[in-house]
Amino acid sequence: MARARLQERRLAGGQLTSAPEPADEFSRVLDRVLLGDSPSSSLRPVRVNSAVDEVADRLLTAIAVGDFLPGERLPAERELTALLHVSRPTVREAVARLLALGVIEIRRGRNGGAFVRDSWTESSGAAVRRTLLPRWEEFEQLFDLRGLVEGMVAATAARRRRPEDLEPMREALEAHLSASTPREEQAADSAFHRAICAATHNPQIAQLSRDLLTRISLGFPIEPWGRGERSHHEQAGHGHRALYEAVAAGEPERAEGTAREHFMISAEMIRDVLARVRAAEAP
């Protein structure tokens, strides 16, 4: 039992794990790029008392940076277990802590589940500090790497896109520009970037993009969305339009530069959350 618990607290590729897992090829490649042959430290767990503490902190931080927005349902217990590679009792207890803190509420029925009530409580700052601060240098490296990779993705899409690839991009762009809530914006944003990845016609490139997003987003393959600030929405909308135009025109250099700049928005959102924590701690 003690050995199983020890294994549960280990982290691989940014994920808590309850047992040794086969090494993920993309994570190995990224580890070599960032840290030579040493294992990834960008999402190693803080030395907390248990895996429950780590999962609760991870969820609180994910909510704070806007992976999960107010009114949105958290992934089901089984999905969280798979994403974080921990036991279902661990997830259940971590979710119970968020419920006790008032961050989420439980809704019953067919469409029930754990729904986010608020993106920030008194406990959020401490969770963000424990989750982000000890490995902030590695996060900055990941932000930089993601800009480079997403630039490559966009350039490849511009070179390889077919006429039929442009329609889902246009639909997602229109959905984003007409969105009336942060959740609608976030969903349209994800659809737009999936369409860009699909236009590369290389599933491995799409998987690399998803792997980087997961590592930046604390184990959840969801784009951080801050607190749904309108300035971010407008900035993202301009970036989407410029990126679509570059890909549609078949201009890889313009697409690459646009994508690298566009993906800095998520990095800025996470920096803003950390700055909020530091400001609150200032005398």
Side-chain angles (χ1 to χ4, degrees), residues 146-276:
R146 192 183 187 207
L148 295 170
V149 169
E150 294 298 345
M152 176 272 292
V153 172
T156 304
R159 292 188 182 97
R160 298 180 180 177
R161 62 93 184 115
R162 302 166 185 167
E164 61 269 24
D165 294 325
L166 299 178
E167 183 176 356
M169 292 182 208
R170 284 195 301 269
E171 291 177 351
L173 175 60
E174 291 171 3
H176 183 269
L177 295 176
S178 63
S180 58
T181 68
R183 281 191 291 161
E184 290 178 358
E185 295 163 10
Q186 190 181 45
D189 176 85
S190 296
F192 180 79
H193 291 296
R194 284 197 302 271
I196 295 288
C197 285
T200 68
H201 297 281
N202 186 335
Q204 300 301 323
I205 292 177
Q207 181 59 45
L208 176 58
S209 174
R210 179 183 171 91
D211 182 78
L212 264 175
L213 171 59
T214 300
R215 294 180 68 183
I216 286 171
S217 299
L218 306 168
F220 307 103
I222 304 168
E223 198 72 47
W225 210 249
R227 288 173 287 172
E229 295 92 335
R230 295 305 301 171
S231 59
H232 288 154
H233 166 68
E234 293 173 3
Q235 189 179 359
H238 292 316
H240 285 176
R241 187 183 296 280
L243 185 53
Y244 169 77
E245 291 173 352
V247 171
E251 299 180 6
E253 290 185 3
R254 180 157 68 106
E256 179 178 8
T258 301
R260 289 180 63 175
E261 181 178 355
H262 175 70
F263 277 93
M264 289 300 103
I265 299 174
S266 296
E268 288 303 320
M269 289 179 182
I270 298 176
R271 291 188 186 106
D272 287 347
V273 171
L274 190 57
R276 179 177 180 178

Side-chain angles (χ1 to χ4, degrees), residues 5 36 58 60 88 107 110 162 165 218-219 228 242 249 255 259 268:
R5 289 181 178 176
R58 190 79 64 83
L60 281 168
R88 295 185 75 167
R107 300 179 190 173
R110 184 175 181 179
R162 302 166 185 167
D165 294 325
L218 306 168
E268 288 303 320

